[in-house]
Amino acid sequence: MAKCLVCGKPSAPRAVNPAFPFCSDRCRQVDLGKWLGEEYRIPVKAPQEDDGEVPFQPRPGEDEGGGDHDS
């Protein structure tokens, strides 16, 4: 049997527990509240200003598409 992601109590399988992987609807709501309150965050590596990479800059007279365009 799996453990509830919020309280750690045993969580019945989805076939008999509509709140799975949580043990109850209450724990499911607590988890949702944490996401909405931004207590959980997905880590993202922010680009460094001095990472050595030069951002793309088109040559004068070129558009960002980089291809020839027929008129």
Side-chain angles (χ1 to χ4, degrees):
M1 193 171 284
K3 288 174 127 180
C4 177
L5 300 173
V6 173
C7 69
K9 292 180 182 176
S11 178
R14 186 177 308 276
V16 294
N17 177 12
F20 186 83
F22 307 101
C23 67
S24 65
D25 190 52
R26 179 191 173 281
C27 283
R28 189 173 65 108
Q29 294 295 324
V30 168
D31 184 71
L32 177 61
K34 287 183 177 184
W35 279 106
L36 296 175
E38 298 182 1
E39 291 181 47
Y40 295 146
R41 295 178 187 224
I42 299 173
V44 176
K45 181 181 175 189
Q48 300 291 323
E49 292 209 16
D50 189 21
D51 62 2
E53 290 187 30
V54 178
F56 174 77
Q57 295 179 353
R59 289 183 277 185
E62 282 188 353
D63 64 2
E64 289 187 21
D68 293 328
H69 298 287
D70 294 330
S71 300

